[in-house]
Amino acid sequence: MWTGARVATLIGRKFHVSYSVSGATRLMRRLGFTPQMPGRRAAERDEQAVAAWKEGTWPEVKGPGRPPAAGSASRTRPASTSGRPPGAPGAGAAAPRS
């Protein structure tokens, strides 16, 4: 397994080039590597115990999550219809002329 910090350190030592951790992570992902994927499964892995944990414990750990009808995750205010705050210079100018 690799981490962004390990890869950045390795690149620095081997090629004398400074890479940020996020840059090294993006580079490894672009090359098709993911940090959570080991090359093989552990020999001691008990598939039945894993399945039981996923069924019983994981839902408690994960929690309920967001409701499906929740709105945007953005913390900004929705835009006004005129695009300008009320009382701003030219606030009435955005309305179409007749």
Side-chain angles (χ1 to χ4, degrees), residues 67-83:
S72 171
S74 173
R75 293 185 181 172
T76 60
R77 290 187 343 206
S80 67
T81 55
S82 70

Side-chain angles (χ1 to χ4, degrees), residues 54-86:
K54 284 182 179 178
E55 297 257 336
T57 307
W58 176 241
E60 295 172 15
V61 173
K62 184 177 178 186
R66 286 177 58 173
S72 171
S74 173
R75 293 185 181 172
T76 60
R77 290 187 343 206
S80 67
T81 55
S82 70
R84 297 181 186 182

Side-chain angles (χ1 to χ4, degrees), residues 9-90:
T9 302
L10 179 67
I11 291 171
R13 288 181 183 167
K14 288 290 222 178
F15 303 105
H16 306 289
V17 176
S18 177
Y19 253 85
S20 66
V21 173
S22 63
T25 301
R26 283 194 305 262
L27 176 67
M28 293 299 286
R29 286 189 189 273
R30 209 174 316 142
L31 293 172
F33 294 97
T34 58
Q36 286 79 25
M37 299 287 276
R40 58 182 177 79
R41 292 214 183 245
E44 301 86 14
R45 182 178 170 110
D46 182 3
E47 293 295 333
Q48 291 176 342
V50 171
W53 184 88
K54 284 182 179 178
E55 297 257 336
T57 307
W58 176 241
E60 295 172 15
V61 173
K62 184 177 178 186
R66 286 177 58 173
S72 171
S74 173
R75 293 185 181 172
T76 60
R77 290 187 343 206
S80 67
T81 55
S82 70
R84 297 181 186 182

